[in-house]
Structures are given as structure tokens and as C-alpha cells.
């Protein structure tokens, strides 16, 4: 067997390398920790003449997304990147990008939102934007970050979707951790993403169009419904694009990952880098005869409720781990979406929620063991004592 060559890269560098291979027409961005290394690394490729991208240094993230909207509407393949407060500053234009159906790809390095000021990882930034109309992909490691950045271009630009995509990774945990990444051939990547051709470019003077007009009672409702239908279309289109990706590059992606779930009685649902810690604990528990498993949603928007229900059909008790707090007093966003998705599915495991890792607080195997111990207690008693829990927090 031939050995797979891997290159040591941080998650941020993996994104930048994928962007180099994609060679987008325009990148408009503003630096913010822990995203800065993405655009900094990519700007080196620009300076060295390795890409033909027009890079636009702007005065704020609001300006960055505004420039991306103009660029994408003009017919240019467009990318940016951000984190936390930068995403918050983009807020107005984030909605405009999705509503205008512009296939912008934006790697987001997940970081806690102020205040208090914190530069470390949680998912409060992208979870706050979960209803903005962007497709959201969450990555466990640098390899997934690299591959999903490439995959996101085809997803965003598909004619049945035409929605922007966030490719999310955990700040500092993934973004600054060095891992071995298998890099694909430049030509294969370029051939896979193909050439971007917009149907109605803003700069086609022979066929004038209007972008971002005033849209009052007469048509706003219908345009929002079209946007919603595009997100529904993504549920069927993403598997098609993923299948093509698998044929070219060998990696098959699905909306979720199931880890030792087939015969699991108890399971944790967790996203991004936390899943790696959960897998380690699952392996240790399996050695002791405990039927534990993991379900990892890779895509949070559109929400794959059918996939999740099917994966949990044999699970008796489940704990959902949220790296953000929705302040609803009902639990985190992943937990509430999972419960809502299971409501009419016939799948009704006993469910608990654990908020964890806010502001970058570490998640240890001991924390995960505690969750599985709680789940085993739920199995014995048939009751959930406390649905909303805080994992690793001082009392």
C-alpha cells in the first residue's frame, strides 16, 4: 500500500491552501483573531503571484461583506473569512448576502462573542447567525476544514441552491493546532469547482438587472419563501455534490457522522472538535461493555432532522452538547433543534442538554465520562432529573 503524503498545517492554513487552489476572483476581508491567519496566509499567495485573486483590504467586517455582495452580484467568485465580533459587525450584510442569493463562501473560526471580551472558542457567533439564511458546515479537524472549503464552493453555486455557506472550525483548537493534512492535486480541485458563471450579472449592460431593491408587501413574502425553498433544496442537492466529491477525492461526506451508534443504548450529540474527545471516551467505554455512541451533525443548516431521527432510532437516552447558550431558558440551539426535529418522528429517547466550553473552557474526557454516567443513571431510573445542565462550570 502506498503511503498518503500529509502536510503539517493549522486549520487556518488549511483553509488558505484550499482558497489558493480554488483561486477565487475576489477576497474581501478584515483581520480578527483567531481568523487572521487565513487571510494573512492567503495574501502571501496573492503577493507571490500564485493566484489571480483581487484581494480587498477593507476598514471593517461590515465593509468586507458589503464588498463581497457587490463582487458576487457582478459575477465574481467571492470569498471572505471572519470570527465572532467580526461576524456580528457584518450582521446587516450577512442577511443581505443570503437574501440576494449570492453564493459567497465564508470560513468562520468560531470564537466567543463579547462581552466580556474573549478571544477563545465557542459557537455563539455562528449560532447567532443560524437563521440568517446561510448554509452552515461544522468541521471536526483540519482535514475536514480543507475539504469542506472546496466542497462549499460547489454547494453554494449550485443552481438549485445559490446560498452563501459558512465553513466553521473551532478557534485555536482547530484553527491553530497543527495536523497532518492530505492535500489534493491543484488541477483536480480546479476542475471540481469549475468556472463560476452567474445567470444575471450586475455588470451585463446589455441585460440590465437590479440587485437589492426596495421590496415591500407585494413581493417580500414570496422572496423569503423562495429563499426557504432553496434551503430545502440543499437537503437533496448536497448529497449529490458530496457523491461527486467522493468520486474525485475519495472522501464521502454526509449531513451527520455516526460513531458506534448501531447498537448504542446511550449517545452524545456533539459538533466540531468536541466530537474527537467524545470518540475517545466511547472507545474506552466500549472496552468495558458500555453501549455508548456518538452522533455528530456536520451540517446544521439546513437541519437534517430525518437523518438524526434515523440515527437515534435505537438509542434510549441521549445528551446534546452545545458550545453556546441561547438564553431561552430551554437549552442550547442544537438541543432545541434536535428535540423539535424528533417531535413527530416517533423517535423519543430521553434527552438532556449540556452547555459546555463557553469562552474556550477545555473539555476533558472526565467531563464526557460524567455525561455518559448521567445517561446510564437515566437508563436505570427512566427519568431525566435535570434537562438543562452546565458541564465544566463552577456552581
Amino acid at each position: 500500500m502506498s503511503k498518503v503524503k500529509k502536510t503539517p498545517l493549522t486549520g487556518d492554513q488549511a483553509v488558505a491552501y484550499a482558497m489558493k487552489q480554488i483561486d477565487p476572483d475576489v477576497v474581501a476581508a478584515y483581520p480578527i483573531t483567531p481568523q487572521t491567519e487565513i487571510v494573512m496566509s492567503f495574501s502571501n499567495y496573492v503577493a507571490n503571484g500564485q493566484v489571480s485573486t483581487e484581494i480587498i483590504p477593507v476598514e471593517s467586517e461590515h465593509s468586507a461583506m458589503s464588498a463581497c455582495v457587490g463582487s458576487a452580484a457582478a459575477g465574481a467568485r467571492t470569498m471572505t473569512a471572519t470570527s465572532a465580533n467580526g461576524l456580528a459587525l457584518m450582521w446587516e450584510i450577512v442577511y443581505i448576502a443570503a437574501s440576494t442569493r449570492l453564493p459567497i463562501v465564508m470560513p468562520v473560526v468560531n470564537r466567543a462573542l463579547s462581552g466580556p471580551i474573549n478571544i477563545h472558542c465557542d459557537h455563539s457567533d455562528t449560532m447567532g447567525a443560524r437563521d440568517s439564511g446561510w448554509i452552515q458546515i461544522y468541521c471536526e479537524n483540519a482535514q475536514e476544514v480543507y475539504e469542506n472549503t472546496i466542497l462549499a464552493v460547489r454547494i453554494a453555486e449550485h443552481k438549485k441552491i445559490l446560498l452563501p455557506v459558512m465553513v466553521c472550525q473551532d478557534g485555536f483548537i482547530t484553527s491553530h493546532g497543527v495536523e497532518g493534512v492530505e492535500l489534493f492535486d491543484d488541477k483536480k480541485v480546479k476542475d471540481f469547482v469549475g468556472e463560476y458563471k452567474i445567470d444575471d450579472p450586475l455588470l451585463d449592460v446589455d441585460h440590465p438587472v437590479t440587485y437589492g431593491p426596495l421590496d415591500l408587501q407585494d413581493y417580500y413574502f414570496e422572496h423569503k419563501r423562495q429563499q426557504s425553498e432553496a434551503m430545502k433544496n440543499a437537503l437533496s442537492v448536497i448529497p449529490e455534490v458530496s457523491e461527486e466529491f467522493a468520486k474525485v477525492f475519495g472522501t464521502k461526506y454526509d449531513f451527520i457522522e455516526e460513531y458506534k451508534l448501531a447498537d448504542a443504548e446511550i449517545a452524545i450529540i456533539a459538533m466540531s472538535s468536541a466530537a474527537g474527545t467524545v470518540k475517545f471516551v466511547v472507545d474506552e467505554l466500549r472496552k468495558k461493555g458500555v453501549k455508548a455512541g456518538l452522533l455528530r451533525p456536520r451540517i446544521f443548516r439546513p437541519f437534517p432532522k430525518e437523518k438524526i431521527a434515523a440515527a437515534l432510532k435505537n438509542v434510549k437516552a441521549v445528551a446534546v452538547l452545545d458550545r453556546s447558550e441561547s438564553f431561552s431558558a430551554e437549552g442550547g440551539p442544537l438541543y432545541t433543534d434536535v428535540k423539535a426535529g424528533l417531535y413527530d418522528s416517533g423517535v423519543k429517547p430521553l434527552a438532556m442538554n449540556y452547555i459546555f466550553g463557553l469562552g474556550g473552557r477545555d473539555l476533558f474526557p472526565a467531563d464526557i465520562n460524567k455525561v455518559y454516567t448521567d445517561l446510564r443513571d437515566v437508563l436505570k431510573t427512566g427519568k431525566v432529573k435535570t434537562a438543562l445542565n452546565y458541564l465544566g462550570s463552577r456552581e
Side-chain angles (χ1 to χ4, degrees), residues 221-350:
F221 198 161
E222 284 71 24
H223 288 150
K224 290 291 111 176
R225 184 174 175 183
Q226 288 174 1
Q227 195 179 339
S228 178
E229 291 299 319
M231 191 64 80
K232 291 177 185 176
N233 290 344
L235 288 168
S236 59
V237 172
I238 289 175
E240 296 173 8
V241 179
S242 297
E243 187 67 38
E244 187 178 341
F245 185 90
K247 289 178 181 177
V248 177
F249 301 111
T251 309
K252 180 65 180 293
Y253 283 110
D254 200 349
F255 288 93
I256 62 171
E257 177 191 4
E258 299 178 44
Y259 190 76
K260 300 188 177 180
L261 265 186
D263 65 339
E265 294 180 335
I266 55 176
I268 283 176
I269 301 177
M271 297 199 299
S272 298
S273 65
T277 307
V278 178
K279 289 175 183 177
F280 171 79
V281 175
V282 167
D283 290 343
E284 294 299 305
L285 290 174
R286 284 281 173 168
K287 292 175 186 176
K288 300 174 183 177
V290 180
K291 292 183 177 180
L294 164 73
L295 189 158
R296 177 172 68 98
R298 289 186 53 255
I299 295 177
F300 185 66
R301 287 291 183 268
F303 188 72
K305 67 175 186 177
E306 288 85 3
K307 293 272 187 180
I308 290 173
L312 295 177
K313 63 181 182 296
N314 297 320
V315 174
K316 298 175 183 176
V318 64
V320 183
L321 272 56
D322 270 285
R323 204 164 199 147
S324 62
E325 169 63 281
S326 65
F327 306 107
S328 66
E330 287 295 324
L334 179 58
Y335 173 68
T336 52
D337 273 14
V338 167
K339 283 208 307 180
L342 295 179
Y343 181 78
D344 58 0
S345 69
V347 177
K348 297 288 191 300
L350 296 165

Side-chain angles (χ1 to χ4, degrees), residues 12 19 123 229 293 300 359:
D12 279 356
M19 291 172 65
H123 295 169
E229 291 299 319
F300 185 66

Side-chain angles (χ1 to χ4, degrees), residues 6-18 21 37 41 45 141-143 146 169 173-184:
K6 293 192 175 184
T7 303
L9 295 173
T10 66
D12 279 356
Q13 290 169 341
V15 170
Y17 197 88
Q21 293 180 307
E37 191 183 16
S41 299
Y45 297 131
N141 51 48
Q143 186 70 47
Y146 168 68
Q169 62 172 310
I173 301 168
T174 307
S175 67
H176 285 62
V178 177
E179 301 178 54
V181 178
E182 180 188 356
L183 300 173
F184 304 137

